[in-house]
């Protein structure tokens, strides 16, 4: 922000005073008041991963949303297939001990986080209740991972999702309607190692994604998903809504993984943009499904649906996955752009999707020190309230014509908030100092 003239200094001080007036304590009611409408999905972003201070804040907000707003679902940036194990644990106590569920049910090695452990422990305790009688199914908290079964180095085999979908259909529809047998799928899938080979990320030639078998699997997966859709009336009458929703998740995951592996084997300049785009598309489809499932559960519970305000599902992930703008990343072959999951969901849900970004001042244990005063984070760092919530569109209007500089991060794991994106955020949470987890 320009401050090299008397007029600039006056404008800077005036803006700082207006920002101070906008800052509010961070709680669920404050966030909900920032939103233009009551959303079906309330997304809270973070600018870095693996910091328990940010996850503790997420946990506090989720508890408040549960207790004050009727929220019953949280979806985090974790493997959607593994997330089913966590959901079984928090709703039914299945799947082993808490430690076992955290190890097997949360991806990216985030199950070891004390904050993630506390989230799952609290959800299970809430569902059990103090009298150990258990809450009714319609009132239980639900957990979802909404990322694909993907890591930055590799992607999972489509075997688990594809065979689970086939098994679900084979048990419920006429065998003559199935496009193949389980044995045919097993033969075409081959060894899982050919799908999960980490060398394929850097060398497309080592990917199995464009083999003749992979092409055949994509057609079969499409046929299985189409059959699932065609048989919806029968399946709704003979299976639970939860089982059908899971089968749809298997279908989305199988087709998404096969598409991802196809582009893993691609050698064109579009390869990385397509891989990142497919991943966020998978995320977006999963988030839409989370919103639909939460809405269906609430409608089934409500005696007078028209008189009830909808309860949002809560979403937590990196800002770059939840923002409404295109996401960007610097890769080894240059910058890459793709449409984020948030942009895709927002295009579908409109004001029923709300995005609150998180910005922060310091992560000193990662070399991220006090932000320069001419950046957005530098302006916010002077606020006395920590953490604080701010009306992002109102802040953008206050900064009009004097847009702060974009902060440059000395550490690759932290992405500063682009001031140009403020107007497209519904709210902003600012955390001044992030201590070592």
């Amino acid at each position: 922000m320009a401050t090299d003239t008397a007029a600039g200094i006056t404008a800077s001080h005036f803006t700082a005073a207006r920002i101070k007036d906008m800052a509010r304590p961070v709680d669920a009611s404050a966030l909900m008041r920032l939103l233009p409408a009551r959303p079906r999905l309330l997304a809270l972003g973070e600018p870095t991963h693996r910091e328990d201070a940010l996850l503790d804040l997420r946990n506090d907000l989720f508890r408040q949303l549960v207790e004050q707003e009727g929220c019953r679902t949280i979806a985090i940036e974790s493997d959607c297939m593994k997330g089913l194990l966590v959901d079984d644990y928090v709703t039914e106590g299945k799947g082993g001990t808490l430690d076992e569920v955290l190890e097997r049910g949360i991806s990216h090695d985030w199950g070891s986080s004390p904050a993630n452990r506390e989230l799952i422990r609290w959800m299970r305790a809430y569902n059990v209740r103090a009298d150990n009688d258990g809450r009714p199914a319609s009132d239980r908290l639900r957990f979802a991972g909404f990322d694909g079964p993907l890591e930055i180095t590799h992607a999972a085999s489509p075997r688990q999702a594809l065979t689970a979908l086939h098994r679900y259909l084979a048990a419920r529809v006429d065998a003559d309607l199935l496009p193949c047998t389980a044995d045919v799928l097993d033969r075409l899938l081959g060894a899982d190692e050919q799908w999960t080979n980490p060398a394929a990320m850097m060398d497309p030639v080592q990917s199995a994604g464009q083999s003749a078998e992979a092409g055949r699997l994509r057609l079969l997966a499409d046929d299985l998903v189409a059959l699932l859709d065609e048989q919806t009336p029968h399946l709704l009458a003979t299976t639970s809504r939860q089982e059908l929703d899971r089968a749809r998740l298997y279908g989305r995951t199988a087709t998404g993984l096969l598409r991802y592996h196809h582009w893993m084997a691609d050698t064109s300049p579009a390869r990385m943009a397509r891989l990142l785009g497919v991943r966020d598309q998978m995320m977006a489809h999963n988030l839409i499904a989370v919103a639909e499932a939460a809405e269906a559960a609430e409608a089934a519970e409500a005696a007078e649906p028209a008189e009830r305000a909808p309860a949002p599902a809560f979403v937590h992930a990196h800002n770059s996955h939840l923002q409404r703008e295109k996401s960007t990343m610097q890769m080894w072959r240059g910058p890459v752009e793709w449409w984020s999951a948030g942009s895709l969901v927002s295009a579908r849900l409109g004001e029923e999707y709300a995005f609150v970004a998180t910005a922060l001042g310091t992560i000193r244990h990662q070399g991220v020190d006090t932000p320069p005063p001419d950046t957005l984070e530098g302006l916010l760092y002077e606020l006395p309230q920590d953490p604080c919530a701010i009306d992002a569109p109102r802040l953008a209007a206050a900064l009009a014509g004097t847009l702060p500089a974009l902060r440059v991060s000395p550490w690759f794991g932290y992405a500063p908030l682009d001031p140009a994106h403020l107007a497209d955020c519904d709210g902003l949470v600012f955390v001044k100092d992030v201590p070592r987890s």
Side-chain angles (χ1 to χ4, degrees), residues 11-25:
S12 176
H13 288 176
F14 175 66
T15 302
R18 294 182 67 184
I19 295 175
K20 182 177 179 180
D21 182 60
M22 296 177 198
R24 298 290 183 270

Side-chain angles (χ1 to χ4, degrees), residues 9-134:
I9 294 172
T10 301
S12 176
H13 288 176
F14 175 66
T15 302
R18 294 182 67 184
I19 295 175
K20 182 177 179 180
D21 182 60
M22 296 177 198
R24 298 290 183 270
V26 179
D27 56 42
S29 61
L31 291 189
M32 294 297 288
R33 285 194 298 270
L34 293 177
L35 309 180
R38 190 171 178 86
R40 293 168 65 188
L41 291 175
L42 172 54
L44 175 68
E46 63 177 4
T48 186
H49 289 315
R50 297 184 181 276
E51 296 297 342
D52 272 5
L54 301 182
L55 300 183
D56 288 337
L57 179 61
R58 172 205 67 186
N59 291 353
D60 289 342
L61 288 171
F62 179 56
R63 291 189 193 101
Q64 294 167 24
L65 287 167
V66 168
E67 294 164 357
Q68 301 170 20
E69 303 294 337
C71 176
R72 290 294 178 267
T73 303
I74 185 169
I76 72 169
E77 186 184 335
S78 182
D79 183 331
C80 58
M81 295 291 288
K82 290 185 175 182
L84 298 176
L85 300 174
V86 183
D87 189 55
D88 283 342
Y89 176 80
V90 300
T91 56
E92 304 288 347
K94 298 177 180 178
T97 66
L98 175 58
D99 286 336
E100 290 169 339
V101 169
L102 287 167
E103 181 180 356
R104 295 184 293 114
I106 297 182
S107 62
H108 310 319
D109 295 323
W110 294 342
S112 60
S113 158
N116 282 332
R117 179 187 179 86
E118 174 56 21
L119 171 67
I120 305 309
R121 184 209 65 77
W122 180 80
M123 292 177 70
R124 178 60 190 152
Y126 181 94
N127 285 341
V128 171
R129 297 195 304 191
D131 59 10
N132 292 318
D133 190 32

Side-chain angles (χ1 to χ4, degrees), residues 247-423:
R248 288 170 172 161
L249 171 62
Y250 302 148
R252 292 193 304 273
T253 305
T255 55
L257 279 174
L258 286 165
R259 188 179 302 114
Y260 191 90
H261 281 290
H262 174 88
W263 284 100
M264 187 85 81
D266 186 68
T267 58
S268 77
R271 178 176 183 262
M272 287 310 304
R274 290 296 290 124
L275 286 173
L276 294 167
V278 168
R279 181 189 179 191
D280 270 65
Q281 184 184 48
M282 292 175 71
M283 288 184 170
H285 290 167
N286 285 333
L287 286 178
I288 293 295
V290 165
E292 291 175 345
E295 186 176 43
E298 189 169 11
E301 175 192 1
E304 300 289 343
E307 297 179 7
R308 293 171 58 92
F314 189 47
V315 180
H316 188 258
H318 199 280
N319 284 332
S320 63
H321 291 305
L322 300 177
Q323 66 190 28
R324 289 187 171 93
E325 301 81 10
K326 266 189 172 181
S327 295
T328 60
M329 180 181 293
Q330 183 67 33
M331 305 296 288
W332 61 90
R333 290 186 176 178
V336 181
E337 293 186 344
W338 72 100
W339 286 108
S340 68
S343 66
L344 298 175
V345 174
S346 181
R348 173 81 171 268
L349 297 185
E351 288 188 343
E352 291 184 316
Y353 174 74
F355 169 52
V356 177
T358 297
L360 55 85
T362 72
I363 323 174
R364 298 191 192 279
H365 54 280
Q366 297 290 2
V368 180
D369 292 322
T370 305
D374 64 340
T375 63
L376 175 64
E377 290 86 354
L379 282 173
L380 298 174
Y381 198 75
E382 300 303 316
L383 296 174
Q385 181 74 49
D386 180 37
C388 63
I390 298 173
D391 184 326
R394 184 182 169 199
L395 176 57
L399 297 173
T402 55
L403 199 65
L406 176 62
R407 187 182 189 184
V408 178
S409 172
W411 174 51
F412 74 94
Y414 158 61
L417 186 65
D418 188 339
H421 293 174
L422 266 179

